[in-house]
Protein backbone atom coordinates (compact mmCIF):
# COMPACT_ATOMS: atom_id res chain seq x y z
CA UNK A 1 0.00 0.00 0.00
CA UNK A 2 1.55 3.32 -0.93
CA UNK A 3 0.89 7.03 -1.06
CA UNK A 4 0.46 8.09 -4.68
CA UNK A 5 2.00 11.46 -4.00
CA UNK A 6 5.60 12.37 -3.44
CA UNK A 7 4.86 14.67 -0.53
CA UNK A 8 2.87 12.09 1.45
CA UNK A 9 3.47 8.84 3.30
CA UNK A 10 1.76 5.65 4.23
CA UNK A 11 3.10 4.50 7.57
CA UNK A 12 2.19 2.19 10.41
CA UNK A 13 2.15 3.25 14.02
CA UNK A 14 -0.06 3.73 17.06
CA UNK A 15 -3.48 5.38 16.70
CA UNK A 16 -2.79 7.84 19.44
CA UNK A 17 -3.55 11.50 18.82
CA UNK A 18 -0.80 12.89 21.04
CA UNK A 19 1.77 10.68 19.34
CA UNK A 20 0.69 12.05 15.97
CA UNK A 21 1.18 15.57 17.30
CA UNK A 22 4.64 14.54 18.51
CA UNK A 23 5.39 13.21 15.03
CA UNK A 24 4.31 16.47 13.41
CA UNK A 25 6.36 18.61 15.77
CA UNK A 26 9.36 16.35 15.36
CA UNK A 27 9.17 16.28 11.56
CA UNK A 28 8.85 20.05 11.53
CA UNK A 29 12.07 20.25 13.55
CA UNK A 30 13.99 17.86 11.30
CA UNK A 31 12.67 19.39 8.06
CA UNK A 32 11.27 22.88 8.78
CA UNK A 33 8.83 24.47 6.37
CA UNK A 34 10.29 27.91 7.04
CA UNK A 35 12.28 29.71 5.83
CA UNK A 36 10.83 28.65 2.51
CA UNK A 37 13.76 30.20 0.63
CA UNK A 38 16.28 27.80 2.19
CA UNK A 39 15.22 25.10 -0.28
CA UNK A 40 16.28 25.24 -3.93
CA UNK A 41 13.19 23.27 -4.91
CA UNK A 42 11.02 26.15 -3.77
CA UNK A 43 10.85 28.22 -6.94
CA UNK A 44 7.20 28.47 -7.76
CA UNK A 45 6.48 25.85 -5.08
CA UNK A 46 7.03 25.95 -1.34
CA UNK A 47 6.69 22.32 -0.39
CA UNK A 48 10.30 21.09 -0.41
CA UNK A 49 9.97 20.31 3.30
CA UNK A 50 7.04 18.00 2.51
CA UNK A 51 9.29 15.94 0.22
CA UNK A 52 11.82 15.61 3.04
CA UNK A 53 9.20 14.69 5.64
CA UNK A 54 7.90 12.00 3.35
CA UNK A 55 11.46 10.68 2.98
CA UNK A 56 11.66 10.10 6.72
CA UNK A 57 8.20 8.57 7.12
CA UNK A 58 8.46 6.40 4.01
CA UNK A 59 6.28 5.98 0.96
CA UNK A 60 4.76 2.59 1.47
CA UNK A 61 3.88 -0.17 3.88
CA UNK A 62 3.95 -3.84 3.06
CA UNK A 63 1.67 -5.90 5.28
CA UNK A 64 1.36 -9.66 5.31
CA UNK A 65 -2.11 -11.16 5.03
CA UNK A 66 -3.17 -14.50 6.48
CA UNK A 67 -6.66 -15.89 6.02
CA UNK A 68 -7.90 -12.53 4.82
CA UNK A 69 -6.66 -10.65 7.89
CA UNK A 70 -3.76 -8.19 8.05
CA UNK A 71 -0.99 -9.65 10.22
CA UNK A 72 -0.73 -6.73 12.58
CA UNK A 73 1.17 -6.56 15.82
CA UNK A 74 -0.50 -4.97 18.86
CA UNK A 75 -1.56 -1.34 18.22
CA UNK A 76 -0.36 -1.35 14.62
CA UNK A 77 -2.56 0.73 12.36
CA UNK A 78 -2.02 2.19 8.93
CA UNK A 79 -1.96 5.95 8.45
CA UNK A 80 -1.76 8.33 5.56
CA UNK A 81 0.58 11.24 6.31
CA UNK A 82 -0.12 14.40 4.34
CA UNK A 83 2.70 16.92 4.43
CA UNK A 84 1.77 19.76 2.12
CA UNK A 85 -2.01 19.84 2.03
CA UNK A 86 -2.26 20.25 -1.74
CA UNK A 87 -4.31 18.40 -4.37
CA UNK A 88 -6.66 15.57 -3.75
CA UNK A 89 -4.67 12.63 -2.51
CA UNK A 90 -4.99 8.96 -3.24
CA UNK A 91 -3.62 5.75 -1.79
CA UNK A 92 -2.95 2.62 -3.79
CA UNK A 93 -3.72 -0.72 -2.17
CA UNK A 94 -2.48 -3.77 -4.02
CA UNK A 95 -3.14 -7.31 -2.81
CA UNK A 96 -1.18 -10.24 -4.17
CA UNK A 97 -0.97 -13.82 -3.17
CA UNK A 98 -2.10 -17.32 -3.57
CA UNK B 1 9.55 -9.30 7.36
CA UNK B 2 8.42 -6.75 9.93
CA UNK B 3 8.66 -5.80 13.56
CA UNK B 4 5.34 -6.53 15.23
CA UNK B 5 5.77 -3.61 17.58
CA UNK B 6 5.40 0.07 16.90
CA UNK B 7 8.51 1.02 18.81
CA UNK B 8 10.80 -1.37 16.97
CA UNK B 9 12.27 -1.81 13.49
CA UNK B 10 13.46 -4.45 11.13
CA UNK B 11 16.25 -3.02 9.03
CA UNK B 12 19.11 -4.18 6.86
CA UNK B 13 22.64 -2.98 7.26
CA UNK B 14 26.17 -4.03 8.09
CA UNK B 15 26.85 -6.43 11.00
CA UNK B 16 29.43 -4.18 12.52
CA UNK B 17 29.22 -3.44 16.22
CA UNK B 18 30.70 0.06 16.04
CA UNK B 19 28.25 1.00 13.30
CA UNK B 20 25.38 -0.12 15.51
CA UNK B 21 26.71 2.09 18.28
CA UNK B 22 26.88 4.97 15.79
CA UNK B 23 23.27 4.30 14.84
CA UNK B 24 22.17 4.37 18.48
CA UNK B 25 24.01 7.59 19.26
CA UNK B 26 22.69 9.19 16.06
CA UNK B 27 19.08 8.16 16.68
CA UNK B 28 19.34 9.44 20.23
CA UNK B 29 20.43 12.81 18.83
CA UNK B 30 17.63 12.99 16.25
CA UNK B 31 14.95 11.76 18.67
CA UNK B 32 16.18 12.17 22.26
CA UNK B 33 14.61 10.15 25.04
CA UNK B 34 15.04 13.05 27.48
CA UNK B 35 13.42 15.28 28.51
CA UNK B 36 10.57 12.83 28.64
CA UNK B 37 8.06 15.65 29.19
CA UNK B 38 8.75 17.19 25.78
CA UNK B 39 6.52 14.59 24.14
CA UNK B 40 2.74 14.76 24.41
CA UNK B 41 2.52 11.01 24.01
CA UNK B 42 4.32 10.57 27.30
CA UNK B 43 1.44 10.59 29.72
CA UNK B 44 1.64 7.29 31.53
CA UNK B 45 4.26 6.15 29.02
CA UNK B 46 7.71 7.52 28.30
CA UNK B 47 8.53 5.88 25.00
CA UNK B 48 7.51 8.54 22.46
CA UNK B 49 11.11 8.74 21.30
CA UNK B 50 11.02 5.01 20.48
CA UNK B 51 8.11 5.62 18.10
CA UNK B 52 10.15 8.34 16.36
CA UNK B 53 13.29 6.22 16.16
CA UNK B 54 11.30 3.43 14.60
CA UNK B 55 9.93 5.92 12.06
CA UNK B 56 13.45 6.67 10.87
CA UNK B 57 14.67 3.08 10.79
CA UNK B 58 11.50 1.69 9.20
CA UNK B 59 9.12 -1.06 10.17
CA UNK B 60 9.84 -3.72 7.62
CA UNK B 61 12.25 -5.12 5.09
CA UNK B 62 11.26 -6.79 1.86
CA UNK B 63 13.89 -9.18 0.56
CA UNK B 64 13.82 -11.02 -2.74
CA UNK B 65 14.39 -14.78 -2.68
CA UNK B 66 15.90 -16.80 -5.51
CA UNK B 67 16.28 -20.57 -5.30
CA UNK B 68 15.63 -20.49 -1.61
CA UNK B 69 18.34 -17.93 -0.87
CA UNK B 70 17.87 -14.31 0.19
CA UNK B 71 19.17 -12.03 -2.56
CA UNK B 72 21.52 -10.02 -0.38
CA UNK B 73 24.15 -7.59 -1.52
CA UNK B 74 27.60 -7.70 0.11
CA UNK B 75 27.46 -7.24 3.91
CA UNK B 76 23.67 -6.99 4.00
CA UNK B 77 22.19 -8.54 7.12
CA UNK B 78 18.81 -8.21 8.74
CA UNK B 79 18.53 -6.68 12.21
CA UNK B 80 15.82 -6.12 14.74
CA UNK B 81 16.05 -2.68 16.33
CA UNK B 82 14.51 -2.40 19.77
CA UNK B 83 13.98 1.17 20.94
CA UNK B 84 12.12 1.03 24.23
CA UNK B 85 13.07 -2.27 25.82
CA UNK B 86 9.52 -3.14 26.86
CA UNK B 87 7.42 -6.30 26.42
CA UNK B 88 8.47 -9.43 24.69
CA UNK B 89 9.01 -8.63 21.04
CA UNK B 90 8.19 -10.63 17.95
CA UNK B 91 9.07 -10.47 14.28
CA UNK B 92 6.81 -11.63 11.49
CA UNK B 93 8.40 -13.36 8.53
CA UNK B 94 6.14 -13.98 5.56
CA UNK B 95 7.29 -15.76 2.43
CA UNK B 96 5.33 -15.56 -0.78
CA UNK B 97 6.05 -16.67 -4.28
CA UNK B 98 5.75 -19.23 -6.93
CA UNK C 1 13.65 -3.21 -5.97
CA UNK C 2 16.53 -2.58 -3.60
CA UNK C 3 20.01 -1.18 -3.41
CA UNK C 4 22.48 -4.04 -3.03
CA UNK C 5 24.78 -1.91 -0.92
CA UNK C 6 24.40 -0.83 2.66
CA UNK C 7 25.47 2.73 1.99
CA UNK C 8 22.96 3.34 -0.80
CA UNK C 9 19.20 3.67 -1.22
CA UNK C 10 16.47 3.08 -3.71
CA UNK C 11 13.79 5.68 -3.21
CA UNK C 12 10.88 7.22 -5.03
CA UNK C 13 10.39 10.93 -5.41
CA UNK C 14 10.19 13.77 -7.89
CA UNK C 15 12.70 13.98 -10.77
CA UNK C 16 13.60 17.54 -10.00
CA UNK C 17 17.26 18.47 -9.83
CA UNK C 18 16.88 21.20 -7.21
CA UNK C 19 14.93 18.86 -4.97
CA UNK C 20 17.75 16.33 -5.18
CA UNK C 21 20.20 19.06 -4.14
CA UNK C 22 17.89 19.88 -1.22
CA UNK C 23 17.89 16.21 -0.26
CA UNK C 24 21.70 16.07 -0.33
CA UNK C 25 22.11 19.21 1.75
CA UNK C 26 19.47 18.04 4.21
CA UNK C 27 20.97 14.55 4.61
CA UNK C 28 24.39 16.11 5.13
CA UNK C 29 22.92 18.19 7.95
CA UNK C 30 21.19 15.23 9.62
CA UNK C 31 24.16 12.89 9.20
CA UNK C 32 27.30 14.93 8.51
CA UNK C 33 30.32 13.31 6.89
CA UNK C 34 32.68 15.45 8.95
CA UNK C 35 34.24 15.22 11.45
CA UNK C 36 34.98 11.68 10.34
CA UNK C 37 36.32 10.80 13.79
CA UNK C 38 32.94 11.29 15.46
CA UNK C 39 31.82 7.88 14.22
CA UNK C 40 33.08 4.70 15.84
CA UNK C 41 32.57 2.82 12.60
CA UNK C 42 35.24 4.96 10.96
CA UNK C 43 38.32 2.95 11.76
CA UNK C 44 39.84 2.13 8.41
CA UNK C 45 36.68 3.41 6.72
CA UNK C 46 35.16 6.87 6.70
CA UNK C 47 31.68 6.16 5.42
CA UNK C 48 29.62 5.83 8.62
CA UNK C 49 27.55 8.83 7.54
CA UNK C 50 26.61 6.99 4.34
CA UNK C 51 25.11 4.17 6.43
CA UNK C 52 23.04 6.72 8.35
CA UNK C 53 21.90 8.54 5.21
CA UNK C 54 20.78 5.28 3.71
CA UNK C 55 18.83 4.55 6.92
CA UNK C 56 16.78 7.70 6.40
CA UNK C 57 16.20 7.24 2.68
CA UNK C 58 15.45 3.53 2.92
CA UNK C 59 16.87 0.48 1.23
CA UNK C 60 14.09 -0.58 -1.07
CA UNK C 61 10.94 0.40 -2.90
CA UNK C 62 8.00 -1.89 -3.51
CA UNK C 63 5.92 -0.86 -6.50
CA UNK C 64 2.68 -2.43 -7.63
CA UNK C 65 2.39 -3.49 -11.26
CA UNK C 66 -0.85 -3.66 -13.23
CA UNK C 67 -0.95 -4.86 -16.82
CA UNK C 68 2.80 -4.58 -17.09
CA UNK C 69 2.91 -0.94 -15.96
CA UNK C 70 4.26 0.40 -12.67
CA UNK C 71 1.38 1.89 -10.66
CA UNK C 72 2.96 5.28 -10.14
CA UNK C 73 1.30 8.38 -8.81
CA UNK C 74 1.94 11.73 -10.52
CA UNK C 75 5.68 12.61 -10.66
CA UNK C 76 6.77 9.42 -8.95
CA UNK C 77 10.07 8.14 -10.23
CA UNK C 78 12.56 5.67 -8.85
CA UNK C 79 16.04 6.82 -7.91
CA UNK C 80 19.24 5.23 -6.74
CA UNK C 81 20.88 7.25 -3.96
CA UNK C 82 24.62 6.78 -3.63
CA UNK C 83 26.06 8.07 -0.38
CA UNK C 84 29.72 7.11 -0.27
CA UNK C 85 30.85 6.90 -3.87
CA UNK C 86 32.73 3.64 -3.42
CA UNK C 87 32.70 0.36 -5.37
CA UNK C 88 30.60 -0.41 -8.37
CA UNK C 89 27.00 -0.42 -7.30
CA UNK C 90 24.13 -2.65 -8.31
CA UNK C 91 20.37 -2.62 -7.91
CA UNK C 92 18.22 -5.71 -7.63
CA UNK C 93 14.86 -5.70 -9.39
CA UNK C 94 12.57 -8.60 -8.57
CA UNK C 95 9.16 -9.02 -10.16
CA UNK C 96 6.59 -11.36 -8.69
CA UNK C 97 2.97 -11.96 -9.44
CA UNK C 98 0.33 -13.97 -11.12
Amino acid sequence: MNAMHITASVFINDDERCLHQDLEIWLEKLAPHEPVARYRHNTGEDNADAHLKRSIMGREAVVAVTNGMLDFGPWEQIFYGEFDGRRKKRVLVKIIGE
Side-chain angles (χ1 to χ4, degrees), chain A:
Chain A
M1 168 173 3
N2 63 273
M4 295 200 71
H5 301 272
I6 50 190
T7 54
S9 290
V10 165
F11 65 96
I12 291 177
N13 217 307
D14 197 352
D15 181 14
E16 208 270 302
R17 201 166 54 87
C18 293
L19 177 65
H20 290 211
Q21 289 175 349
D22 285 333
L23 273 170
E24 271 188 52
I25 293 166
W26 177 68
L27 288 170
E28 188 59 34
K29 216 177 89 191
L30 291 187
H33 181 64
E34 308 267 359
V36 167
R38 99 197 295 172
Y39 301 110
R40 300 178 186 205
H41 176 64
N42 286 340
T43 54
E45 298 194 89
D46 70 350
N47 64 355
D49 63 301
H51 290 270
L52 305 183
K53 284 164 177 146
R54 117 70 164 247
S55 299
I56 290 182
M57 295 303 292
R59 166 185 177 266
E60 75 228 358
V62 178
V63 184
V65 180
T66 305
N67 299 327
M69 299 286 287
L70 297 173
D71 289 318
F72 273 149
W75 308 112
E76 282 200 322
Q77 292 204 37
I78 302 175
F79 294 95
Y80 177 90
E82 165 58 48
F83 303 122
D84 79 349
R86 306 279 167 67
R87 303 166 183 253
K88 292 178 87 168
K89 298 295 166 74
R90 295 173 301 151
V91 172
L92 176 71
V93 179
K94 184 98 183 181
I95 300 165
I96 59 173
E98 288 99 70

